[in-house]
Amino acid sequence: MSDLAIDREVDRSQMQVSDEEAIQITEMNKWFGTFHVLRDINLTVNKGERIVVCGPSGSGKSTLIRCINALEEHQRGQIIVDGTVLSSDLKNVDKIRSEVGMVFQHFNLFPHLTILENCTLAPIWVRKTPKKEAEETAMHFLEKVKIPEQALKYPGQLSGGQQQRVAIARSLCMRPRIMLFDEPTSALDPEMIKEVLDTMIELAQDGMTMLCVTHEMGFARQVANRVIFMDQGQIVEQNEPEEFFNNPQSDRTKLFLSQILGH
Amino acid sequence: MSDQAFVRSEIIEEQTPPLTAFGLVGWLKSNLFSNWFNAILTFISLYFIWYVLSGVLPWIFLSVWNAGSLSECREIATATWGDSHGHACWAVIKDRWIQLLFGFYPSELYWRPILAFVLLLISLAPVLYTSVPKKIFYLTAVYPFILPWLMWGGSVWAYVSALLGFVLGYAIVRYTSEIVGQLGAVILSVIGAIVWWLYIGPLLLSQGVGAILPLALEPVISRDFGGFMLALLIGVVAIGCSLPIGIVLALGRQSDLLILKTISVWFIEFIRGVPLITLLFVASTLLNIFMPPGTNFDIILRVMIMVTLFASAYMAEVIRGGLAALPRGQFEGADSLGLNYWQSQRLIIMPQALKISIPGIVSTFIGVFKDTTLVSIIGLMDPLGLSQGIRANAEWNGIYWELFAFIAFLFFIVCFSMSRYSMYLERKLQTDNR
Ligand SMILES: Nc1ncnc2c1ncn2[C@@H]1O[C@H](COP(=O)(O)OP(=O)(O)OP(=O)(O)O)[C@@H](O)[C@H]1O
Ligand SMILES: [Mg+2]
């Protein structure tokens, strides 16, 4: 939860927001048993947007982005991802999941496979890419996250930051249109946070559509074009980063920002 | 400040460690005599080991190998050592080891079980060791059909027909699932295979080709099966089948489909709640009541089915333990990449769950293999059943220890190998540096 200043220039020239919709969520509600976790969520994400979602613990941030690739099921309302309506039909679910990359707090790499196999598995089995081609793609993205030399090691032999970068590369190998991040840096030590954030910034500079749950406010300031604040399962406030941080409207947002930024 | 400053002027030479830290003396001191209490324990243990070995070793090695009966054994022992006690009479093993191995299997056909055993080892090789050429997997695939043909004999075409039924079923799934969907393809393939087995296969192969090319082995009836061969046969089949059935049951028990889940839970709980002997009695007597009269449902086959079901229930629970030990993130990681249920089970979940379960799985294997001795209770001639038969002879009346020692030795070799292999496998699959 630090306001880790990012000591690099962020090139915003490639970060173009198009007016095509990538994700459209309307009137979405979700319950865990009788507990109403998500209430009337309305959210439209255009292609090329970088959205940071923040909010206190238990406010439903993870649940929201997990609904987008159907790791959680919503009970009411509609989610359209890249033109595909998310329903309980398993075919659509697998299709959406293969278009949407997801990076988890605890990496969720497959410990019995090497880094390279982690990256080639889904392209080979889901996309039916020939093995050789999948390996070339995997090496390309491993180079992009700056760990090609670890390709033949197992996840257990890598540091946390390296593992998270592999997880990002693994998602990228599926050539997703949208990337979801669920607190990708909160299980990491400070010096590793930076290397993962650097990777994410590069991704943003390449024009990727990103939806990112994080408390890295430095990242939000420099990369995001919109910050969403959630509390008690609702979207309480959303705004451009500068406005959001300097001029929050709701009391709950102010309270949250004062806690997180330590003023 | 200045008296804390220090610069080394000469390099210290490498020295040998003190004598107590290495070598025999060091080892003895640190492991056996580190304090007076450990020293006393060491002496007590040494005495105990000596006491046991001084009884057992002379019995094993100061023994009689050539005699026609137990009484002759005793005479020889008395003549040699002045005492008939404390000397094994291995003559009974020398006389009867072939029977203990093969039961009453016709002796001119011994090559068949031996060949089956050798082929078993060969077809297991690619399963057990990754360095073995993958081509041998073809042998592994047809081995389940070679084994019964070699053991029971009869026309080869019946087994070829059975094999082709499976090939047909697989082909149907492979080529129609695009058109009629996965479930439809599975149903079609089951129907196709059954039609083949019941009508087309027998007509085409057993009567058609079989009449032109009668390739058959001399049949051996199940009543002649026996000895360690029988234990191995039942054990191998039960072990080989219980693993896949156990995986399916474990997945069924975890499934969201209520009916599948209920069936799996009840099956597992019922089988685990009933002693194996009861199941074997059901196999030997009760099943006949439900069968239409005149049907000949082989007794060994019935026993194999029961032992397999019994082992599967335990296997399912062992594997469920492995599944439960996997972090939820593994399932989510697989899902988030777009892998479907079977892909994620096969590529992500099962390799890890099975790896966690290796000790439990091998324990179950070993348990099942040893439980095969229970079949002597329903009259099958496993080694223990045979040992009773041997004792019933006038010459060997009253001989116990030698027979049991030999049987125990045979079982020990097999069980110990399984246990060592599982340790090797665990070490090999260790990919996390914990
Ligand atoms: N599987 C579940 N079953 C029942 N309740 C759940 C489940 N998962 C989450 N919850 C509850 O839903 C609420 C929202 O959870 P969620 O994980 O989305 O919060 P979050 O905003 O991501 O919090 P954090 O910052 O701690 O990760 C919490 O109160 C949590 O206890
Ligand atoms: Mg969360």
Side-chain angles (χ1 to χ4, degrees):
Chain A
M1 296 215 190
S2 61
D3 189 9
L4 202 81
I6 298 171
D7 55 356
R8 55 180 284 175
E9 276 299 300
V10 176
D11 170 19
R12 281 178 166 262
S13 65
Q14 292 288 315
M15 300 189 192
Q16 305 285 342
V17 178
S18 98
D19 46 9
E20 263 180 90
E21 283 166 4
I23 304 172
Q24 192 182 33
I25 303 176
T26 35
E27 295 292 314
M28 194 258 278
N29 280 271
K30 171 164 182 65
W31 288 263
F32 280 123
T34 55
F35 175 53
H36 200 171
V37 244
L38 293 179
R39 309 176 193 180
D40 283 348
I41 304 287
N42 285 296
L43 176 66
T44 305
V45 181
N46 284 352
K47 290 209 171 122
E49 278 203 273
R50 290 93 38 211
I51 296 183
V52 162
V53 182
C54 61
S57 181
S59 56
K61 309 177 296 289
S62 301
T63 312
L64 172 63
I65 71 166
R66 288 157 60 85
C67 280
I68 294 173
N69 71 349
L71 284 181
E72 303 283 0
E73 222 179 317
H74 61 283
Q75 279 95 20
R76 200 194 292 161
Q78 198 180 39
I79 301 180
I80 302 177
V81 181
D82 212 26
T84 312
V85 179
L86 194 53
S87 56
S88 51
D89 181 1
L90 279 177
K91 247 205 161 97
N92 271 354
V93 171
D94 281 340
K95 179 170 181 294
I96 285 178
R97 282 173 179 166
S98 63
E99 304 289 337
V100 177
M102 173 124 184
V103 176
F104 300 86
Q105 181 175 2
H106 296 288
F107 330 135
N108 296 356
L109 294 177
F110 306 129
H112 63 300
L113 301 176
T114 62
I115 302 305
L116 190 63
E117 287 165 343
N118 264 278
C119 293
T120 55
L121 185 90
I124 290 177
W125 290 90
V126 179
R127 292 249 190 275
K128 315 283 182 217
T129 315
K131 185 163 180 241
K132 199 149 175 10
E133 198 185 315
E135 280 177 356
E136 278 162 16
T137 314
M139 286 314 292
H140 167 75
F141 283 113
L142 286 175
E143 258 156 48
K144 205 167 163 57
V145 301
K146 305 201 177 57
I147 29 178
E149 71 281 359
Q150 313 283 6
L152 297 179
K153 290 195 181 163
Y154 286 94
Q157 297 166 306
L158 267 55
S159 76
Q162 290 173 323
Q163 290 194 42
Q164 192 60 296
R165 284 183 284 153
V166 171
I168 295 174
R170 179 178 76 175
S171 290
L172 292 178
C173 284
M174 286 295 280
R175 310 249 182 215
R177 314 261 180 89
I178 302 162
M179 286 286 285
L180 308 174
F181 294 82
D182 188 4
E183 306 203 26
T185 55
S186 51
L188 298 176
D189 294 337
E191 70 267 32
M192 298 175 186
I193 292 180
K194 191 180 163 310
E195 57 189 52
V196 171
L197 288 182
D198 279 346
T199 309
M200 290 167 62
I201 291 169
E202 269 178 38
L203 208 56
Q205 285 173 346
D206 290 347
M208 176 65 79
T209 311
M210 293 163 74
L211 196 62
C212 184
V213 176
T214 184
H215 292 141
E216 296 299 335
M217 291 310 154
F219 176 79
R221 276 209 167 93
Q222 287 199 276
V223 178
N225 67 313
R226 189 153 38 129
V227 180
I228 291 179
F229 174 68
M230 286 185 72
D231 194 13
Q232 295 181 348
Q234 308 160 50
I235 295 181
V236 174
E237 186 164 347
Q238 48 175 315
N239 214 332
E240 291 178 353
E242 284 311 308
E243 276 295 294
F244 180 83
F245 289 113
N246 299 337
N247 191 13
Q249 301 296 316
S250 123
D251 291 340
R252 276 186 279 178
T253 316
K254 285 176 194 160
L255 181 68
F256 175 74
L257 285 179
S258 72
Q259 281 166 349
I260 205 170
L261 300 176
H263 305 313
Chain B
M1 179 94 186
S2 63
D3 46 309
Q4 279 178 7
F6 169 76
V7 176
R8 179 171 295 288
S9 55
E10 59 196 307
I11 301 301
I12 301 173
E13 290 290 311
E14 188 179 316
Q15 295 168 349
T16 52
L19 204 62
T20 49
F22 79 115
L24 186 63
V25 177
W27 185 87
L28 281 176
K29 188 156 190 319
S30 62
N31 286 297
L32 297 179
F33 300 100
S34 57
N35 59 36
W36 62 267
F37 183 69
N38 278 359
I40 290 177
L41 280 186
T42 301
F43 282 121
I44 293 177
S45 313
L46 282 178
Y47 174 75
F48 183 74
I49 293 170
W50 176 80
Y51 179 80
V52 170
L53 287 185
S54 68
V56 171
L57 288 183
W59 182 78
I60 294 177
F61 291 105
L62 301 179
S63 51
V64 180
W65 280 92
N66 297 305
S69 69
L70 182 58
S71 48
E72 198 187 328
C73 253
R74 290 200 173 127
E75 275 164 30
I76 296 174
T78 317
T80 321
W81 298 287
D83 180 11
S84 76
H85 263 288
H87 303 287
C89 177
W90 296 122
V92 66
I93 305 298
K94 195 175 172 189
D95 188 26
R96 297 298 181 94
W97 67 275
I98 289 190
Q99 195 186 14
L100 283 170
L101 288 184
F102 294 101
F104 299 102
Y105 206 87
S107 57
E108 71 278 8
L109 301 179
Y110 280 163
W111 65 270
R112 276 160 47 180
I114 292 172
L115 179 62
F117 183 66
V118 171
L119 287 180
L120 171 72
L121 295 184
I122 298 175
S123 56
L124 272 183
V127 182
L128 300 183
Y129 300 100
T130 42
S131 56
V132 174
K134 291 280 169 262
K135 282 229 169 68
I136 301 182
F137 264 121
Y138 290 112
L139 176 65
T140 314
V142 295
Y143 186 76
F145 304 92
I146 299 179
L147 174 69
W149 182 50
L150 281 177
M151 296 305 292
W152 276 278
S155 165
V156 72
W157 298 112
Y159 297 100
V160 172
S161 161
L163 173 63
L164 287 181
F166 281 102
V167 173
L168 179 73
Y170 174 77
I172 292 179
V173 171
R174 182 75 197 269
Y175 294 108
T176 63
S177 58
E178 296 283 300
I179 309 162
V180 294
Q182 209 152 24
L183 190 67
V186 169
I187 294 173
L188 263 186
S189 96
V190 170
I191 295 175
I194 288 177
V195 168
W196 170 272
W197 282 324
L198 288 185
Y199 304 108
I200 307 173
L203 201 71
L204 211 67
L205 287 174
S206 304
Q207 290 168 27
V209 188
I212 306 164
L213 198 70
L215 212 63
L217 286 175
E218 187 180 324
V220 178
I221 53 170
S222 288
R223 221 175 314 121
D224 289 345
F225 281 48
F228 197 61
M229 177 193 86
L230 179 63
L232 268 181
L233 183 64
I234 298 175
V236 163
V237 171
I239 286 174
C241 298
S242 65
L243 189 60
I245 299 179
I247 291 175
V248 171
L249 283 173
L251 291 179
R253 195 168 185 164
Q254 302 278 52
S255 154
D256 297 331
L257 304 173
L258 190 66
I259 297 180
L260 202 63
K261 186 177 172 130
T262 316
I263 294 175
S264 307
V265 170
W266 277 98
F267 178 85
I268 292 169
E269 295 305 334
F270 175 75
I271 299 275
R272 285 205 309 167
V274 177
L276 178 57
I277 298 200
T278 320
L279 293 178
L280 290 178
F281 274 123
V282 170
S284 78
T285 56
L286 266 180
L287 272 189
N288 267 354
I289 299 174
F290 296 118
M291 292 295 187
T295 36
N296 182 19
F297 191 14
D298 190 274
I299 177 73
I300 292 183
L301 192 60
R302 279 183 274 165
V303 165
M304 278 175 176
I305 291 174
M306 284 303 181
V307 176
T308 303
L309 293 184
F310 187 76
S312 311
Y314 279 89
M315 196 58 73
E317 286 299 278
V318 168
I319 293 169
R320 192 167 67 97
L323 285 173
L326 273 193
R328 233 172 72 121
Q330 291 296 308
F331 295 83
E332 293 178 351
D335 283 349
S336 74
L337 287 171
L339 296 169
N340 66 31
Y341 178 81
W342 290 110
Q343 286 170 340
S344 66
Q345 287 301 338
R346 196 178 124 210
L347 302 166
I348 310 297
I349 306 304
M350 272 307 148
Q352 295 185 65
L354 291 180
K355 180 182 139 191
I356 299 173
S357 323
I358 289 173
I361 291 175
V362 175
S363 290
T364 311
F365 282 172
I366 290 177
V368 169
F369 183 57
K370 292 191 296 187
D371 280 350
T372 56
T373 50
L374 286 177
V375 302
S376 65
I377 291 179
I378 58 166
L380 289 184
M381 284 298 149
D382 90 307
L384 285 185
L386 282 169
S387 79
Q388 266 167 358
I390 293 173
R391 260 194 306 282
N393 283 323
E395 308 97 74
W396 300 116
N397 196 350
I399 196 155
Y400 284 92
W401 289 102
E402 290 80 354
L403 290 170
F404 288 147
F406 180 67
I407 295 167
F409 177 68
L410 291 177
F411 274 90
F412 181 78
I413 292 175
V414 175
C415 295
F416 187 66
S417 319
M418 284 197 258
S419 149
R420 296 310 295 196
Y421 175 76
S422 89
M423 287 162 75
Y424 155 83
L425 195 62
E426 272 178 71
R427 256 195 326 262
K428 197 181 88 165
L429 296 180
Q430 186 95 45
T431 56
D432 40 0
N433 50 349
R434 249 181 292 169

